Each structure stands twice: as C-alpha cells, then as structure tokens.
Amino acid sequence: MADHGRSEALFARARRVTPGGVSSPVRSFRAVGGDPYFVARGEGAYVVDVDGNRYVDLVQSYGASLVGHAHPVVVEAIAEAARNGTTFGAPTEGEVLLAEAIVARVPGCEQVRLVSSGTEAAMSAIRVARGFTGRSRVVKFAGCYHGHSDGLLAGGGSGVATLGLPDSAGVPPGAVADTVVVPYNRVPEIDERVACVIVEPVAANMGLVPPRPGFLEGLRDACDAVGALLVFDEVITGFRIGAGGASEWSGVAPDLWCFGKVIGGGLPVGAFGGRAEVLGVLAPDGPVYQAGTLSGNPLATAAGLAVLTMVDQAAYTELADRVGRFADRLAGVLGDVLDAEGAGMAVQVPAVGPLVGVFFTPTGTGPVGDYEEAKASAATGLYARFFTAMLDRGVAFAPGPYEVAFPSLAHGEAELAFVTDVAGDALAEALATQAREATVRQPG
Ligand SMILES: *Cc1c(COP(=O)(O)O)cnc(C)c1O
C-alpha cells in the first residue's frame, strides 16, 4: 500500500488554518472520499506527491496546463520575466504581445482585456454586455460554470455541482434576480430584456457535454433576433480544442469571449474579448468600470505567451487525434468490464479535441446532454469508486464526477496506455467495493 503519511499530516495542519484544508473546494476530495494528495512537484504528464507517489496527472490544474507541468520553455520565460520585476502598475510589452497572440488566433475577437482569473473574465464580460445593451437579464445554462461571482452562482457546474448546492449561501436573492437558468442543449425563448446569453460552447463543468448539432447556431439566432449578446465562456475550450477555440471549432462566433486557464501558462490570468465596438464601453473610453492591480501581470503574460507560441495547429490536431484514440480505448476497456460483471451499467467517454469525460450510467441511457442527465450519472456513485481505484494505481483523474480529464501535450502514447492498462482492473475493484458497501447497508 502506498504511503500517504505526509499528505495526511499536511491535510490535518491545513484544516486547522484554512477552511476545509483547501484553497478551492473540489480539492478536498469531498466528492470522492479520502484525503487529497499534496503535490510536491510536477513533471510533464506527471505529478509527484509529498510522499513520493507518482501519478499520471489528468487534472493538469483543471486545464490551466496545456503543455504539461514545468515545461522548460515556460519555466525559462517566467524566470526571465521575474528578473525584470514582477508587477508595476504600468503597462508592459507582455500585455500587448499576449493580447496580440489571442486576437490573432480567434477569428472575430478584435480586442481583449486581461484580468487575473476566469471568474473575473466572465463577471466582466457580463458587465460589458449589460453596459452595451442597457439591459439587465442574463441567461445561463444549468451545469455550466462561469466562476464564482454572485450573479453567476446559480445552477452552476463544477464544484458547485459537486457540493450539491443549487446556489450558494451568501448570495442574496437580489444578486441572481436577473439570472435565468435554463437547460443545456435546448435553445431558450428569450426577449428584449435579455442582455446576454452566456454558455460554455462545449460544457466541461458537468462532465463533458458537447453541444448538440444546431444548439450554438440556435443561440446565435435567438440572440440576434432580440439584440442580445452571445457570450462564449471559453475558459476551458479556448486554446485547448484548437488555436481558435470553440468558436472556430463550431463555426459560431459569439459577441464576447471569456478566456482563462491555458492563456496563463499555469499562472493566474483571464481575459475577455470581443468586437472593438462592444469593448468600447469599457473605462477609460466608456462608462463600464473594470480594473485590476495585477491584471496583465508580467509573469503571467510571459508564461501564457510562451505556451501560445509553442503550440501550433499541427500540435493541436495531433493531440486531439491521440486523445480521441485514447477515449475510444478507455470506453472499450471500461465497457468490457461492465458487461462482464453484468453490472447493469454502461460507460460513456465523450471527447472533444483533447477534452475527455467519463460518465457511468445505467444501461440504456442515451448520451448525457444536460445537467439533469449528468446528475443521474453522478448519482450512481461509481465515478467516486473508480477515481479512488485509479489513484491507487497511479492515475489522477479529477476528484469529482462533474470534472473532465485534461490530457496535455506531455501525455504521449505511453502515459495514455498506462491509463487504459490499469483502468479495467480499477473498475472491477470499484464495482466490488460498491457491491460490498451495498450489502453492508442492507444486511440480509
Ligand atoms: C474554471 C472556469 C471558470 C473560472 O475560472 P477561475 O480562473 O477558476 O476563476 C470560468 N468558466 C469556466 C468555463 C471554467 O471552467
């Protein structure tokens, strides 16, 4: 049995000085049971914990890392930037270079403003949409996550979903009074009160739920019909499912984009962008206020730029192909085990570009297409057992059924083969654990 003594000791100390022992709730393992591993270092596709256990890391900071951990080019870019000073409160060339790199890759996105997180990006994009249209109402989709700002913390995905909170305590009803939550993959009826419709164009915070054909096009038409703006939250999909993100992938152009994760190269960055006409409402040119002491931070822009310039379209295509084959193999391996055990369960392993989801569902369930269906999959409880059995075998999936796997450019055939090699055995153990627990709960 692997040693986890140092992680356990750190977690005990952490719980004394920080709520739940973590800086972000999903890291607590509450959704899967057990204690989190504390990371000592990352190396490409791997993380090594403080007890020396090594894992193929499919978390990759929930998608912030595209080229793998501690890539030498990124490390050098950060080191070089740091030698020149880490923050000034005055403009730097790095901001121009990163903004240029973003607008050059995303057709239709003429300008961006840099912030420090995806949360800020989405929050600010909404403010721009409201300022531009002079309207209040925001439409979002159940199971989509747009960060933890008050107005968007309704029907959220990711950690909010994991914790089973439809909303959050501490968010007054007034803050979400103008937020309308509707089901994913169905085009809602909207009217002239709507400032914007915000959507994850490929939903990746309720597991991986691709848009059905016509959904994004339908949103574009619905927005155009009433003069509302369409906001793509590409904090995950941006610069991951291709250089042009989900708007290029789908052929549907939004009015506003939100970015984060990949564009920081592993440091805290977000950005929101759109047509120059729309962003013109922002201060200092316009009346919509938005600001940030560390916005456009030199280390973060250097790291982000290093990643964006390193990864060309060929690399994206190769990664998506490799991961697509991996997803098929994983579905095969897991499906065989479920069939052999007569578990009455099936598995779905959707993939979009290099994003991979794992849904265990009762047999006969169609492809998971919205939050209700994602919740039904999570309710089987099998993901949590599978997660634990995989972790014991040296593979770190995300510790919650609503997250997705983020194989990076550092995940070669060998690392991905390792995952599929141990997955069947892990699932068999997970099923056995689940059966045993069911018997304990219902004696006789
Ligand atoms: C992660 C995420 C956010 C929030 O980004 P943070 O950097 O965690 O604030 C927003 N939208 C989506 C789609 C995300 O996945």
Side-chain angles (χ1 to χ4, degrees):
M1 207 54 209
D3 186 15
H4 298 287
R6 283 166 180 262
S7 277
E8 282 164 17
L10 277 175
F11 195 42
R13 280 168 57 195
R15 271 193 305 242
R16 282 196 284 275
V17 289
T18 195
V22 287
S23 302
S24 193
V26 73
R27 299 179 198 171
S28 69
F29 277 34
R30 227 34 94 77
V32 290
D35 282 358
Y37 54 91
F38 276 62
V39 173
R41 63 181 191 280
E43 303 163 349
Y46 297 89
V47 290
V48 179
D49 72 16
V50 290
D51 292 291
N53 303 303
R54 200 171 144 86
Y55 308 95
V56 173
D57 179 34
L58 295 169
V59 183
Q60 297 287 323
S61 194
Y62 295 92
S65 165
L66 176 63
V67 298
H69 299 298
H71 192 289
V73 173
V74 179
V75 172
E76 183 46 37
I78 296 169
E80 195 186 314
R83 280 191 287 271
N84 292 324
T86 57
T87 179
F88 306 108
T92 58
E93 187 183 17
E95 296 160 73
V96 184
L97 295 175
L98 183 59
E100 285 175 348
I102 293 171
V103 302
R105 284 163 179 73
V106 182
C109 184
E110 296 171 355
Q111 292 192 333
V112 290
R113 179 162 282 176
L114 301 177
V115 291
S116 297
S117 68
T119 294
E120 274 185 86
M123 180 183 88
S124 307
I126 297 285
R127 192 177 302 148
V128 165
R130 285 173 164 157
F132 183 77
T133 58
R135 304 174 184 177
S136 300
R137 194 161 283 189
V138 170
V139 175
K140 84 172 280 288
F141 295 89
C144 284
Y145 180 65
H146 306 294
H148 64 95
S149 69
D150 282 359
L152 291 170
L153 218 43
S158 188
V160 191
T162 292
L163 293 172
L165 307 174
D167 285 309
S168 164
V171 175
V176 290
D178 289 312
T179 308
V180 180
V181 185
V182 295
Y184 196 74
N185 263 327
R186 261 156 284 177
V187 178
E189 301 228 352
I190 60 172
D191 60 26
E192 266 91 13
R193 287 171 298 178
V194 172
C196 67
V197 174
I198 184 167
V199 65
E200 286 184 74
V202 177
N205 282 289
M206 50 172 153
L208 189 69
V209 179
R212 292 207 185 104
F215 174 56
L216 298 175
E217 292 81 353
L219 294 183
R220 180 69 276 174
D221 292 344
C223 286
D224 288 344
V226 298
L229 299 187
L230 180 60
V231 185
F232 275 7
D233 182 344
E234 296 223 43
V235 170
I236 282 183
T237 52
F239 308 94
R240 178 165 292 273
I241 67 172
S247 57
E248 187 179 65
W249 172 82
S250 65
V252 177
D255 301 290
L256 288 165
W257 282 260
C258 310
F259 300 114
K261 298 193 169 118
V262 170
I263 62 162
L267 273 76
V269 186
F272 59 101
R275 297 197 309 277
E277 174 210 4
V278 178
L279 291 203
V281 300
L282 277 171
D285 293 340
V288 175
Y289 190 69
Q290 181 279 330
T293 302
L294 291 174
S295 291
N297 174 262
L299 301 196
T301 54
L305 189 66
V307 169
L308 295 195
T309 43
M310 199 185 326
V311 184
D312 58 12
Q313 193 52 54
Y316 281 114
T317 306
E318 197 195 313
L319 177 61
D321 288 349
R322 185 160 72 235
V323 172
R325 291 191 301 273
F326 160 74
D328 289 345
R329 283 200 309 274
L330 187 61
V333 166
L334 298 177
D336 286 350
V337 172
L338 292 171
D339 290 348
E341 304 276 331
M345 299 278 289
V347 66
Q348 299 175 17
V349 187
V352 176
L355 293 169
V356 180
V358 177
F359 290 116
F360 294 106
T361 63
T363 35
T365 311
V368 172
D370 64 25
Y371 191 32
E372 291 306 313
E373 292 166 1
K375 282 197 284 194
S377 165
T380 67
L382 192 50
Y383 181 90
R385 270 64 169 229
F386 176 66
F387 164 87
T388 304
M390 287 301 276
L391 198 65
D392 287 344
R393 287 163 179 75
V395 178
F397 275 91
Y402 296 110
E403 314 298 338
V404 304
F406 294 96
S408 74
L409 282 161
H411 291 70
E413 295 291 354
E415 285 77 21
L416 297 177
F418 181 81
V419 175
T420 46
D421 283 351
V422 300
D425 195 37
L427 181 56
E429 182 185 291
L431 287 166
T433 310
Q434 196 163 39
R436 205 164 46 240
E437 284 171 2
T439 333
V440 171
R441 272 202 305 277
Q442 309 164 328

